[in-house]
Amino acid sequence: MQRDIRHQWFFNHSPETVWKFLTDPDLIAQWLMENDFKPVVGHKFQFTTKPKVKVKFDGIVYCEVLEVKPYTNLSYSWKGGSKGQITLDSVVTWTLTAKDGGTDLVLEHKGFKGMKNYLAYFFMNIGWKSKVMKRFTLLIDTNKK
């Protein structure tokens, strides 16, 4: 059994502005995690955060940029686990669509397979929706870079 996350938001900002907040490593660090991201297909990077030992997460997300279509689509692998042992092998995709007065932003996080990834799916689904995007929204609305 595989579970996937999908959330959609509307921002009163252009796709170019939303894109900047999805691809600038300094901005990403403010709403998601510290990182060494570059919007270049094939670039391997990491997100780093505080380890969560109880759920066997060492605080490192191993990623590789899979697709970059400026202002419309960004996709990267998202792999994590404990002590270098990958237990979650998934893909995050951001899709931006220009709408009157702003941008629709869709997040898809796919690849939560089997029972071993149920807790990761459960917590990340809630996290993306209620915590991460609240920080993203606050940042984009206050900075408007």
Side-chain angles (χ1 to χ4, degrees), residues 130-142:
S130 65
K131 293 181 182 179
V132 173
M133 286 317 293
K134 281 184 182 178
R135 291 192 305 260
F136 184 94
T137 301
L138 181 62
L139 186 66
I140 197 170
D141 287 346
T142 57

Side-chain angles (χ1 to χ4, degrees), residues 42-92:
H43 175 68
K44 293 183 180 179
F45 67 100
Q46 294 179 352
F47 287 116
T48 56
T49 190
K50 185 177 174 182
K52 294 177 179 42
V53 178
K54 289 183 181 181
V55 293
K56 297 182 180 176
F57 174 56
D58 62 10
I60 302 170
V61 181
Y62 303 90
C63 304
E64 181 177 348
V65 179
L66 304 173
E67 184 175 27
V68 176
K69 292 182 182 175
Y71 317 121
T72 61
N73 190 274
L74 174 66
S75 181
Y76 43 82
S77 62
W78 180 288
K79 300 177 182 185
S82 181
K83 298 178 185 173
Q85 187 174 19
I86 301 301
T87 55
L88 175 62
D89 187 353
S90 60
V91 174
V92 171

Side-chain angles (χ1 to χ4, degrees), residues 6-135:
R6 185 181 191 282
H7 296 294
Q8 183 171 350
W9 301 272
F10 179 79
F11 292 96
N12 294 315
H13 304 281
S14 69
E16 293 81 6
T17 298
V18 175
W19 181 260
K20 173 82 171 167
F21 283 80
L22 292 173
T23 59
D24 180 300
D26 293 330
L27 293 172
I28 296 168
Q30 293 179 55
W31 63 267
L32 186 55
M33 287 182 262
E34 291 294 326
N35 65 89
D36 56 341
F37 177 81
K38 291 180 187 171
V40 175
V41 172
H43 175 68
K44 293 183 180 179
F45 67 100
Q46 294 179 352
F47 287 116
T48 56
T49 190
K50 185 177 174 182
K52 294 177 179 42
V53 178
K54 289 183 181 181
V55 293
K56 297 182 180 176
F57 174 56
D58 62 10
I60 302 170
V61 181
Y62 303 90
C63 304
E64 181 177 348
V65 179
L66 304 173
E67 184 175 27
V68 176
K69 292 182 182 175
Y71 317 121
T72 61
N73 190 274
L74 174 66
S75 181
Y76 43 82
S77 62
W78 180 288
K79 300 177 182 185
S82 181
K83 298 178 185 173
Q85 187 174 19
I86 301 301
T87 55
L88 175 62
D89 187 353
S90 60
V91 174
V92 171
T93 301
W94 299 97
T95 303
L96 296 78
T97 305
K99 297 283 183 179
D100 287 340
T103 303
D104 272 337
L105 177 64
V106 175
L107 161 72
E108 294 178 290
H109 192 162
K110 297 183 176 185
F112 297 89
K113 297 176 185 170
M115 287 306 294
K116 70 178 180 175
N117 288 154
Y118 179 75
L119 278 178
Y121 163 80
F122 180 79
F123 287 116
M124 292 183 79
N125 189 31
I126 292 169
W128 281 120
K129 185 177 182 181
S130 65
K131 293 181 182 179
V132 173
M133 286 317 293
K134 281 184 182 178
R135 291 192 305 260

